Amino acid sequence: MQEQIGDKSKMIVKMGKYVGLFYVLCASIMFGSAFTLAKEPLRSINSLTLSSLVYLISGVCLLPTILRSPIRISRKKDIGTLLIIAILGAAVAPLLLFLGLEQTEPTDAAILINGEIIFTVIFAWLLFGEWSKDVRTIFSMILVVVGLGLATTDLRISETLFQYKPGNLMILMATVCWALDNNISRRFLQSTNIGPASLAMVKSLLGGSILL
């Protein structure tokens, strides 16, 4: 009987991993396609308006999460932290992304956005003393750095070192903002009773409103 229970538990855990991988794959496909899809609206809508609309719509779609995870803020400093998260992750970052996307190719943008991974790890190390010694993590970071190098230089390093590409720079600055947002949000979630979905909803509504 115990062996059967153990086998079922292992099966549930294994299925959970596959489901998680499926969700990550779906998110990656949707996120990657967003750059190509956003290129067309940017021809008729300015970056500020599009950034605001995207995050306001996202916030409205997440409103039902309040029913399952009510927002309770007991400390005044949490309000300031929430504003910082909203400004970085839902106002400045998306605005820089769309401004950069106006001046670069969607394929380059899709690669450059991976800079968020590198900057998130760097900030976690510099600000909170966290560093992963896992070989897979380090190898993944190396691949991301190589991809960023290819996207920004096209292997013409001597020609591109002295070229100023404002679009690429803006996208990289957006990833810096999102990396800070990731680290601050993680600590915020650990120290409050607010759930991730509720935080995303509040952040999106605040950021979208700021950009209006």
Side-chain angles (χ1 to χ4, degrees):
M1 184 70 177
Q2 290 181 347
E3 291 181 0
Q4 290 179 345
I5 294 173
D7 291 339
K8 286 183 179 179
S9 299
K10 290 179 181 178
M11 188 178 295
I12 291 171
V13 172
K14 191 174 182 180
M15 288 179 64
K17 289 181 179 178
Y18 285 125
V19 171
L21 289 172
F22 175 73
Y23 286 152
V24 170
L25 180 61
C26 290
S28 300
I29 292 171
M30 288 187 286
F31 193 67
S33 63
F35 301 107
T36 303
L37 295 174
K39 193 74 174 178
E40 188 63 31
L42 282 171
R43 295 175 181 175
S44 56
I45 305 174
N46 67 63
S47 302
L48 188 64
T49 303
L50 185 59
S51 303
S52 177
L53 286 175
V54 167
Y55 274 81
L56 284 175
I57 292 171
S58 173
V60 171
C61 291
L62 288 170
L63 278 174
T65 59
I66 296 179
L67 299 176
R68 291 184 296 175
S69 179
I71 298 173
R72 297 186 182 91
I73 298 177
S74 56
R75 299 176 300 180
K76 289 184 178 179
K77 70 174 185 178
D78 289 340
I79 298 176
T81 304
L82 195 56
L83 285 172
I84 292 171
I85 291 171
I87 291 170
L88 284 173
V92 178
L95 179 59
L96 285 171
L97 174 65
F98 286 123
L99 285 171
L101 193 56
E102 286 182 336
Q103 304 175 57
T104 192
E105 294 300 319
T107 50
D108 287 348
I111 297 173
L112 290 169
I113 203 69
N114 288 296
E116 181 182 345
I117 300 170
I118 302 298
F119 292 124
T120 297
V121 173
I122 290 173
F123 286 133
W125 173 50
L126 293 176
L127 301 178
F128 305 104
E130 296 181 4
W131 182 257
S132 176
K133 296 181 180 179
D134 184 72
V135 177
R136 291 174 298 180
T137 302
I138 296 172
F139 182 68
S140 299
M141 289 179 62
I142 292 172
L143 288 178
V144 171
V145 171
V146 171
L148 292 175
L150 291 173
T152 53
T153 66
D154 292 327
L155 294 180
R156 295 192 295 270
I157 298 174
S158 59
E159 297 177 18
T160 54
L161 278 177
F162 302 100
Q163 287 183 1
Y164 174 63
K165 295 183 177 181
N168 289 354
L169 182 61
M170 287 177 186
I171 293 173
L172 285 175
M173 288 304 298
T175 65
V176 170
C177 292
W178 270 317
L180 284 169
D181 170 28
N182 292 339
N183 280 284
I184 297 172
S185 294
R186 181 186 169 196
R187 271 78 191 174
F188 182 77
L189 289 170
Q190 290 174 341
S191 62
T192 63
N193 294 323
I194 298 177
S198 295
L199 175 60
M201 183 270 296
V202 174
K203 179 176 78 172
S204 296
L205 290 176
L206 283 175
S209 301
I210 291 169
L211 292 172
L212 277 178

